[in-house]
Amino acid sequence: MTNSENIRLCGGTFFTLLLEDRKPRAGVREHYAGEKDGLSEPEVLIGLSKVLVPDFQEPLESMMTTIKGNTSEYKSYKNKGGT
């Protein structure tokens, strides 16, 4: 008897695994000094979007609050990534 079940990796699961594998984040002193490591969850999601869609436009700073919320919802499977 063969198993004909198709197994898929959901986007939220892939994104969570990607976040777990990123290099260590910068410390409190570096953040206090104004340095950014580019590894926050929204920045990683934007980077992943650029890999999938090379001409993806970088969002404006005023849109980052919305992107942070969407990133959290994407990870917890509340948002399917349509926005």
Side-chain angles (χ1 to χ4, degrees):
M1 185 169 166
T2 62
N3 186 358
S4 62
E5 185 176 325
N6 291 332
I7 299 173
R8 297 184 191 185
L9 180 63
C10 297
T13 303
F14 176 72
F15 184 61
T16 302
L17 291 171
L18 192 65
L19 290 174
E20 288 179 4
D21 197 43
R22 63 186 166 181
K23 69 179 185 175
R25 304 278 323 267
V28 175
R29 289 183 182 157
E30 289 84 4
H31 285 290
Y32 184 74
E35 298 176 21
K36 289 189 171 190
D37 56 9
L39 295 174
S40 69
E41 292 180 0
E43 290 170 327
V44 171
L45 186 60
I46 290 169
L48 182 61
S49 299
K50 286 181 179 180
V51 169
L52 298 173
V53 182
D55 58 344
F56 181 79
Q57 296 294 320
E58 187 84 24
L60 301 173
E61 189 63 35
S62 61
M63 300 169 69
M64 288 306 288
T65 303
T66 304
I67 292 172
K68 288 178 185 177
N70 287 342
T71 301
S72 176
E73 288 180 359
Y74 184 66
K75 270 183 29 186
S76 63
Y77 306 105
K78 294 179 184 175
N79 184 339
K80 295 180 183 179
T83 56

